[in-house]
Amino acid sequence: MTDPVTAPLPGPAVPVCSAKGCREAAVWVLAWNNPKLHTPERRKTWLACEEHREHLSRFLGVRGFLKDVVSLADWEAREAGGDRDGGEEPEGSAADR
C-alpha cells in the first residue's frame, strides 16, 4: 500500500473519450448544442478517441446537434487564443449528459 502523504502526485490529467466505458485518450472534440436548450452560439463538447469519433458524430448529427469536429490540439490552441464560443470544458462522459 502506498502512503498517501509520500505518494508522488499524479501527472497531468489526460483527456479521455466520452464514449460510454471508453478510457482511451481523446484526440477529437465534438462541439454541439441542443437548439431547444442552448443559444445558437453555445457549444457543449464531447471528446472522442479515433475509434469512437464516427459513432459519437453520428449520434449527435442525427439529432441535428453536431456543430463542429476538430482535433483536440486545434481546440486547445483556440482555447489558448481565447477563440472559443462560450462552451464548456471538454471533459466528462457522454453518459453524464
Side-chain angles (χ1 to χ4, degrees), residues 41-79:
E41 66 279 352
R42 174 85 186 268
R43 293 294 179 265
K44 305 272 292 174
T45 56
W46 282 358
L47 299 179
C49 64
E50 197 63 52
E51 180 181 348
H52 291 111
R53 181 184 86 155
E54 197 60 38
H55 171 75
L56 293 173
S57 293
R58 270 195 312 268
F59 180 90
L60 293 167
V62 163
R63 290 156 179 80
F65 294 176
L66 187 62
K67 303 302 178 194
D68 200 7
V69 177
V70 297
S71 74
L72 180 58
D74 288 346
W75 184 267
E76 290 173 337
R78 278 192 211 173
E79 182 180 286

